[in-house]
Amino acid sequence: MMREATPSAPALDAVSLFSNCGAGDVGFSAAGFRFRVMAELARSRLRVALRNHQEAEGVPGDLRRTWRDVVDRWRWLHGPARPALVAACPPCQGMSTARSDRGPQDDAEAGSRDGRNLLVLPIAHITKALRPTCVVVENVTGFLRRMVRDPETGEGISAARLLVRLLAKDYVVYPFLTDLADFGVPQRRKRAFLTFLRRSSPATGFLRRENRAPYPAPSHAPDHGGNHVLLRAALGRFQLPALDAGDSALARDSRYPFHFVPVWPTRQHRMVAAIPAGSGASAWENDDCGGCGPVEADAETVECPVCGEPLLRPIVRRERRNRLVRGFRRASYRRMEPDRPAATITTASGRIGGSRTIHPFENRVLSPLECALLQTIPLGFDWGDALERRGVSEVRAMIGEAVPPHFTEMHGLVLVSLLTQTDRGLSLIDQTDVRCKNARRGLAFSLT
């Protein structure tokens, strides 16, 4: 039986691995965790993380070589005490299914060629050394299935399953596979989570008796009686000034330093302007000529059938013969749909040819500020001089790789409740929920 929550519980000390800019950890902090050590490969990102977690010590560098430094830094601060939480978000590029050049997911040889796919190993090393009560690992859905070679046995095994095996003696694992739109994040963002709890923790017995998992019940999922936050509503709530990529004076607003977009050449701007506002359509579907206006043309037509000039479609202009861009037509050069959650915010959010990056109504991509807010990164998040030092592409990358803090706060509140054995009136997800069942299936894992 859980105790009732006390109003001033002390913060639970935590370690962050692959911290990125620390945005996802902001949610855990809001829930009651306090990060004391943060580790990140890129010093520029770690600098931003430490601005937002000022009680933390930073460990820069590749965790495959610096994981002992993380352990030493924690012990220097806390001696033999255990962290309450280790939160880890290893790079997802090698796990992603978006590119075929990485080989099939079940090809362990191909999976092992990308060393990032074995970054579960330093997570295991640090966990075994520090023995935290809880470990949370987040990644793309391919994390559950991407096969690698076990460095010790040579066996083909998924990276996630390898981590489960390495920690199985001391930890119970709870896999989770969800779209974060089901939790009120105003974008489609499908992600996999592994939450580990020490077998000796009272929380594991409580979860087993209640047949629950250490995640919040979905607050906005249609299958739970909720509704997703739509892009139209989210943008309306932000109340940011309109921008236009056709004019440098209209492409930024000085009142909001991160609210700006790249300025496009005239033809590119006209191509986007030809996509009907609010339609969710793409420039591939434009039947427009800059000189003649609307024309009749099939999907593979490049030039206007009337005047011979290139249509307002994604076209590579050549001296002898123009051609259509060789791109992913289903999602590229396309407006976001206003009456659905936003498309996933990625590192390519500033590219017109990325996946659904064009504003639903205005002739531009989303600004870095809009992307950050759709990622639920707070307006007051301190970016320091990251924009000046590293440029907009790096800032967009940090935003695109962040874990939405709205969800990590919800998840963190559940974990704090379990670790402190306090009843905070939270609704935990049932193990029979499809999000848990699909994750166990993807991991080839059974509760028995």
Side-chain angles (χ1 to χ4, degrees):
M1 190 75 177
M2 286 189 169
R3 304 188 302 268
E4 290 189 5
T6 56
S8 57
L12 300 174
D13 290 328
V15 173
S16 171
L17 310 179
F18 313 101
S19 302
N20 184 22
C21 62
D25 295 327
V26 165
F28 283 125
S29 293
F33 290 99
R34 175 178 60 179
F35 286 93
R36 302 307 309 276
V37 180
M38 306 189 84
E40 165 56 38
L41 174 66
R43 289 179 181 272
S44 57
R45 297 189 179 199
L46 182 59
R47 188 160 44 245
V48 177
L50 295 176
R51 292 184 74 93
N52 291 278
H53 301 273
Q54 295 190 4
E55 294 184 87
E57 297 274 339
V59 178
D62 189 331
L63 270 174
R64 287 169 290 192
R65 293 187 288 274
T66 64
W67 69 266
R68 291 182 179 84
D69 297 335
V70 173
V71 173
D72 290 343
R73 191 67 56 89
W74 171 269
R75 287 178 175 161
W76 179 75
L77 291 167
H78 295 284
R82 303 178 183 182
L85 170 69
V86 167
C89 303
C92 65
Q93 291 88 342
M95 303 290 177
S96 175
T97 58
R99 283 173 48 187
S100 58
D101 60 353
R102 295 187 177 95
Q105 283 192 304
D106 59 357
D107 184 343
E109 203 63 42
S112 293
R113 282 197 292 269
D114 190 330
R116 293 171 297 187
N117 292 341
L118 283 170
L119 284 171
V120 295
L121 296 177
I123 298 174
H125 296 330
I126 291 168
T127 298
K128 289 180 177 181
L130 297 183
R131 299 183 296 164
T133 309
C134 177
V135 180
V136 175
V137 182
E138 181 268 359
N139 213 297
V140 294
T141 59
F143 175 58
L144 300 181
R145 294 183 181 273
R146 169 59 74 182
M147 300 293 282
V148 295
R149 294 286 181 198
D150 184 322
E152 291 189 3
T153 67
E155 173 193 357
I157 187 172
S158 78
R161 184 70 182 174
L162 175 60
L163 182 59
V164 172
R165 175 186 290 178
L166 291 170
L167 300 182
K169 178 182 176 182
D170 296 311
Y171 290 87
V172 178
V173 65
Y174 302 87
F176 193 57
L177 189 61
T178 190
D179 185 340
L180 296 184
D182 290 346
F183 295 85
V185 175
Q187 61 168 302
R188 292 285 189 185
R189 197 171 190 87
K190 295 181 179 178
R191 289 295 184 267
F193 293 84
L194 298 179
T195 295
F196 297 83
L197 288 170
R198 286 196 72 82
R199 293 185 179 276
S200 58
S201 169
T204 59
F206 171 80
L207 293 171
R208 183 175 59 253
R209 291 191 301 273
E210 299 294 323
N211 197 33
R212 302 287 176 175
Y215 302 97
S219 56
H220 289 69
D223 64 329
H224 281 249
N227 294 292
H228 291 152
V229 178
L230 307 182
L231 178 58
R232 184 193 301 271
L235 293 176
R237 190 168 65 236
F238 301 160
Q239 295 187 322
L240 293 172
L243 302 176
D244 192 289
D247 186 322
S248 59
L250 301 175
R252 65 173 58 244
D253 191 289
S254 59
R255 292 168 293 179
Y256 301 90
F258 275 57
H259 192 44
F260 64 90
V261 294
V263 178
W264 291 333
T266 300
R267 186 182 184 282
Q268 195 170 54
H269 183 265
R270 294 180 71 183
M271 179 178 70
V272 170
I275 307 171
S279 66
S282 79
W284 298 103
E285 300 159 12
N286 286 344
D287 290 334
D288 292 81
C289 169
C292 303
V295 296
E296 290 187 12
D298 64 36
E300 299 302 316
T301 298
V302 177
E303 285 94 8
C304 172
V306 178
C307 70
E309 285 297 307
L311 294 175
L312 294 174
R313 291 177 173 178
I315 289 171
V316 177
R317 305 193 72 168
R318 298 285 178 85
E319 283 188 20
R320 294 187 177 181
R321 185 172 180 272
N322 298 320
R323 65 168 176 82
L324 294 172
V325 170
R326 296 188 181 98
F328 183 44
R329 295 196 191 183
R330 187 168 64 87
S332 64
Y333 298 92
R334 182 177 293 277
R335 289 192 185 277
M336 289 184 169
E337 297 177 74
D339 295 318
R340 294 187 178 184
T344 305
I345 302 300
T346 71
T347 59
S349 64
R351 301 175 194 166
I352 186 176
S355 180
R356 293 179 172 87
T357 59
I358 301 174
H359 193 284
F361 306 110
E362 300 172 20
N363 299 323
R364 60 181 180 86
V365 292
L366 299 179
S367 71
L369 179 55
E370 288 167 324
C371 291
L373 294 174
L374 289 170
Q375 278 278 62
T376 70
I377 298 173
L379 190 60
F381 188 83
D382 186 356
W383 292 98
D385 59 359
L387 190 60
E388 293 77 14
R389 290 173 64 103
R390 303 299 300 175
V392 64
S393 294
E394 175 66 5
V395 169
R396 285 187 180 271
M398 285 190 270
I399 292 169
E401 292 177 8
V403 187
H406 175 76
F407 178 76
T408 55
E409 181 176 0
M410 294 177 70
H411 189 195
L413 287 169
V414 166
L415 296 176
V416 169
S417 177
L418 290 169
L419 299 188
T420 59
Q421 299 182 69
T422 55
D423 186 354
R424 296 168 181 257
L426 302 171
S427 180
L428 276 62
I429 201 163
D430 196 284
Q431 284 279 16
T432 61
D433 188 277
V434 65
R435 295 159 186 82
C436 298
K437 290 168 66 175
N438 286 346
R440 293 196 297 271
R441 187 179 302 117
L443 192 60
F445 175 78
S446 171
L447 287 177
T448 58

